[in-house]
Amino acid sequence: MVYVWLVLLALLVYVLFKRIYTPKYLKTLTQEEFIQGYRKAQLIDVREPREYDSGHILGARNIPLSQLKQRLKEVRTDQPVYLYCQSGARSRQAAAILKKKHGVEDVSHLKGGFRKWTGKIKKK
């Protein structure tokens, strides 16, 4: 029984680490830094369509994390990629997919995600 608890605890620590850890290739940008560069980059909202439709950063394309692997060809590898989601967790996952499966080198995400965004937004 003790082994089961140790395995569950180890699994929990691993999952929490993966959600919090930001790899070296991913730049975490403040809102001000994000605003300075996102017009020169591919701005991608990785939230689900219903979240995107309720409000998104002006100029953002919606490629949900759940569809990213099937839609990799829509992301150029020769331009910077700026990602955001609701809190930052999904954009970290999206960055890992873009780096490992598609070879994107210049990838950044918004610190705190869309919920911390105070800039202009567009609603559908």
Side-chain angles (χ1 to χ4, degrees), residues 12-120:
L12 178 64
V13 168
Y14 174 77
V15 168
L16 288 174
F17 176 77
K18 290 296 278 181
R19 289 192 66 103
I20 295 170
Y21 172 73
T22 302
K24 290 179 184 176
Y25 60 82
L26 177 60
K27 296 179 214 102
T28 301
L29 304 177
T30 64
Q31 179 172 312
E32 293 76 27
E33 294 167 329
F34 201 83
I35 288 170
Q36 287 176 358
Y38 82 84
R39 285 190 174 85
K40 299 175 196 139
Q42 300 170 87
L43 179 58
I44 301 174
D45 183 328
V46 298
R47 299 176 301 156
E48 292 301 312
R50 62 180 160 57
E51 295 172 287
Y52 177 83
D53 291 345
S54 68
H56 58 271
I57 297 173
L58 198 60
R61 245 182 327 155
N62 185 222
I63 303 178
L65 178 61
S66 61
Q67 300 173 14
L68 185 59
K69 287 181 183 175
Q70 294 79 31
R71 297 177 61 184
L72 284 174
K73 290 182 180 168
E74 295 178 37
V75 181
R76 294 181 56 164
T77 58
D78 62 338
Q79 291 182 341
V81 176
Y82 276 37
L83 302 170
Y84 73 92
C85 62
Q86 196 64 23
S87 67
R90 285 179 281 179
S91 58
R92 276 193 295 275
Q93 292 176 311
I97 292 168
L98 290 170
K99 171 79 172 162
K100 292 175 185 168
K101 305 264 185 216
H102 199 50
V104 173
E105 294 294 328
D106 190 354
V107 62
S108 304
H109 80 135
L110 178 61
K111 181 179 183 178
F114 187 71
R115 71 175 176 199
K116 301 277 186 174
W117 181 259
T118 60
K120 292 183 181 179

